[in-house]
Amino acid sequence: MIRWLAPVAAILLLWQGVVSITGLPPYILPSPLRVAAAVRDNAALLTSHALVTLGEIVVALVLGAVLGAATAVGLALSPPLRRITEPMLVLSQAIPVFALAPIFTLWFGYGMQSKIAVALIVVYFPVTASFLDALLRTPPPLLRLAGVMQARRWTRMRCVQIPAALPGLLSGLKIAAVYAPIGAVIGEWVGASRGLGYLMLLANGRARTDLMFAAVLLIAVIAVALHLATGWAARRVLERQER
């Protein structure tokens, strides 16, 4: 956590320097102190909207982890299915999330479901790709040992490949934890009545640039916190596996 303080301090000093040197008006670029005051004065409002966005992100992360891991295991077990499905997975990422968000809003409405669906799309691919690559790169000596022991395909997957591929799965989750807030916020931009993305649009429409920056900073804090929490959980899992 301490190693994050120096970059954050450097960004704040640079930000304040730009404001002081250029003399930009607050409605264009508010100073860090003005944004901090907006956070203080609107703490309850920011917290209520942040909890909505955080709930969407957490649900998308859990669903993305489960679906991504299950997909990776299924594709690793079936090479023919993998050859058919892999291009479809890549193609799904070639479509901008902005293009999918209105479609999901049309399908699932303006509630949390459409935002979770957009965030799920963002989370699903890195988890699936990282875990699948790790499963296919299981050390050959372990596979030969399982073959000598005449392990069945699923037994080999469960007892050898999945434990060996856990670092890949956890790496994918760490990446997904950073990008999941992007999907949730984009979904809220398209259509919502709650959430930090909605609050940003509301503040922008009222020329409350300081409040808009406060919402942006809160989104960044959520992304960093999720990344650190996922990294901590990954270290605990790997330490337990090694023991």
Side-chain angles (χ1 to χ4, degrees), residues 82-157:
R82 184 167 68 248
R83 286 192 293 269
I84 297 172
T85 307
E86 276 187 325
M88 297 172 59
L89 290 174
V90 175
L91 182 61
S92 69
Q93 298 304 299
I95 303 174
V97 179
F98 266 113
L100 295 174
I103 298 175
F104 288 147
T105 302
L106 179 65
W107 288 349
F108 302 113
Y110 289 90
M112 290 184 65
Q113 293 88 342
S114 58
K115 287 71 182 174
I116 292 171
V118 177
L120 178 60
I121 291 294
V122 177
V123 169
Y124 175 74
F125 183 77
V127 173
T128 303
S130 299
F131 194 31
L132 177 60
D133 184 66
L135 288 172
L136 297 179
R137 293 179 181 272
T138 304
L142 294 179
L143 295 177
R144 287 196 294 268
L145 179 60
V148 170
M149 299 176 68
Q150 298 182 347
R152 296 178 179 272
R153 177 180 295 183
W154 172 244
T155 303
R156 183 178 61 197
M157 173 64 69

Side-chain angles (χ1 to χ4, degrees), residues 180-230:
I182 299 175
V185 170
I186 289 175
E188 291 170 354
W189 282 349
V190 173
S193 58
R194 296 182 299 167
L196 290 175
Y198 164 77
L199 183 61
M200 289 173 61
L201 293 180
L202 186 66
N204 183 50
R206 297 181 179 181
R208 289 291 309 278
T209 314
D210 53 350
L211 182 58
M212 186 169 62
F213 269 78
V216 171
L217 290 179
L218 199 51
I219 293 169
V221 169
I222 290 175
V224 172
L226 288 172
H227 177 74
L228 293 176
T230 307

Side-chain angles (χ1 to χ4, degrees), residues 34-49 199 208 210-211 214 218:
R34 188 178 290 270
V35 174
V39 173
R40 181 197 63 206
D41 298 337
N42 300 276
L45 179 66
L46 288 166
T47 301
S48 63
H49 286 284
L199 183 61
R208 289 291 309 278
D210 53 350
L211 182 58
L218 199 51

